[in-house]
Amino acid sequence: MYRLFVIEDDAGIASAICDQAAMWDMETRTVRDFRNVAAEVADFSPHIILLDIKLPCFNGFHWCTEIRKFSRVPIIFISSESDNMNIIMAMNMGGDDFIAKPFDQNVLVAKIQALLRRTYDFAASVPVMEHRGVILDMGENSVLYNGKRIELTKNEYRILLTLMQNKGCVTSREKLMEALWQTDCFVDENTLSVNVGRLRKKLEAEGLADFIATKFGEGYIVK
């Protein structure tokens, strides 16, 4: 089942789109917080996005740029501001198509399905993981936070991936070492401590001082 994410501030239009898409067996979600659109995209990991231009807080061009920093997901702009300049800007910002409002729902769904076929018949989406605004790019082995990309070593990436997969729960040092062993990196207690320390410093440098907490005698937790 394909996942459709709708970034539209008109609740009536968003609801109508979701109802129509559901008839074609698509899983849908609408944005909840217009200040954290990129984080919601990462959390839902959609196969396709519908994006309006005029939105609260930041416009659709801004969010398209932010999404493109970590995802190649197809984006269709939907807007009544369909003059040539806005269409050109939408494409230059990373959009894949543009549909002018008002539109026929059946035509919209047909365009969505066509873009899904073109995209996923030839390429797989790059998975991401999000927590508290921190986006782990599983294709690039890096972190995106507040628009900045943080490059990780193989060990740092594997540690953070394991912690985020178990967010809200304590991950033992033994489990982290097992995760590193799976990548053919045989580490001891001291090496693990060094890697966790380096990862923390990278995150702290971008304002994430408390993202990884230590539970003494137990392990580490992302909460």
Side-chain angles (χ1 to χ4, degrees), residues 65-72 126-128 135-152 157 202-203 205-206 208:
T65 301
E66 291 300 303
I67 293 166
R68 280 290 173 258
K69 291 178 180 179
F70 64 89
S71 176
R72 301 182 185 92
V126 176
V128 297
I135 298 169
L136 182 63
D137 187 332
M138 299 162 71
E140 297 291 336
N141 288 13
S142 62
V143 165
L144 189 70
Y145 182 68
N146 280 345
K148 294 184 178 180
R149 187 172 292 276
I150 307 168
E151 300 297 335
L152 304 178
Y157 164 76
K202 287 184 178 182
L203 298 177
E206 301 301 333
L208 291 163

Side-chain angles (χ1 to χ4, degrees), residues 16-206:
I17 291 172
C18 289
D19 289 344
Q20 186 73 14
M23 294 174 61
W24 292 90
D25 295 325
M26 293 183 197
E27 181 182 352
T28 62
R29 183 182 295 183
T30 58
V31 65
R32 299 183 181 92
D33 184 353
F34 284 96
R35 294 167 299 180
N36 293 293
V37 171
E40 291 193 21
V41 169
D43 180 63
F44 187 51
S45 190
H47 294 97
I48 193 164
I49 293 172
L50 296 183
L51 175 61
D52 195 5
I53 293 177
K54 292 186 67 176
L55 297 168
C57 303
F58 300 98
N59 65 27
F61 298 137
H62 168 83
W63 288 120
C64 187
T65 301
E66 291 300 303
I67 293 166
R68 280 290 173 258
K69 291 178 180 179
F70 64 89
S71 176
R72 301 182 185 92
V73 61
I75 296 174
I76 299 177
F77 276 86
I78 52 172
S79 178
S80 57
E81 299 185 352
S82 55
D83 57 276
N84 288 342
M85 182 57 68
N86 277 313
I87 295 173
I88 292 170
M89 284 186 64
M91 299 300 103
N92 287 340
M93 291 292 181
D96 296 279
D97 203 346
F98 193 108
I99 300 178
K101 295 179 181 176
F103 46 76
D104 182 280
Q105 294 281 4
N106 292 316
V107 172
L108 175 64
V109 170
K111 281 183 169 284
I112 290 172
Q113 291 177 326
L115 186 51
L116 286 170
R117 287 194 301 272
R118 290 198 302 271
T119 302
Y120 298 103
D121 280 350
F122 299 102
S125 61
V126 176
V128 297
M129 189 175 296
E130 187 276 338
H131 182 60
R132 288 172 49 193
V134 176
I135 298 169
L136 182 63
D137 187 332
M138 299 162 71
E140 297 291 336
N141 288 13
S142 62
V143 165
L144 189 70
Y145 182 68
N146 280 345
K148 294 184 178 180
R149 187 172 292 276
I150 307 168
E151 300 297 335
L152 304 178
T153 66
K154 182 172 68 174
N155 284 354
E156 292 164 354
Y157 164 76
R158 177 60 62 177
I159 290 168
L160 188 56
L161 173 63
T162 304
L163 291 174
M164 290 181 69
Q165 286 174 332
N166 296 277
K167 59 188 177 185
C169 301
V170 176
T171 303
S172 68
R173 293 175 62 84
E174 291 75 16
K175 186 170 184 176
L176 286 174
M177 285 191 289
E178 288 175 6
L180 294 178
W181 291 340
Q182 291 172 7
T183 61
D184 298 325
C185 181
F186 298 97
V187 300
D188 56 20
E189 290 272 351
N190 183 62
T191 306
L192 176 63
S193 297
V194 170
N195 277 276
V196 172
R198 288 174 178 168
L199 174 59
R200 276 179 162 155
K201 285 183 179 179
K202 287 184 178 182
L203 298 177
E204 287 171 2
E206 301 301 333

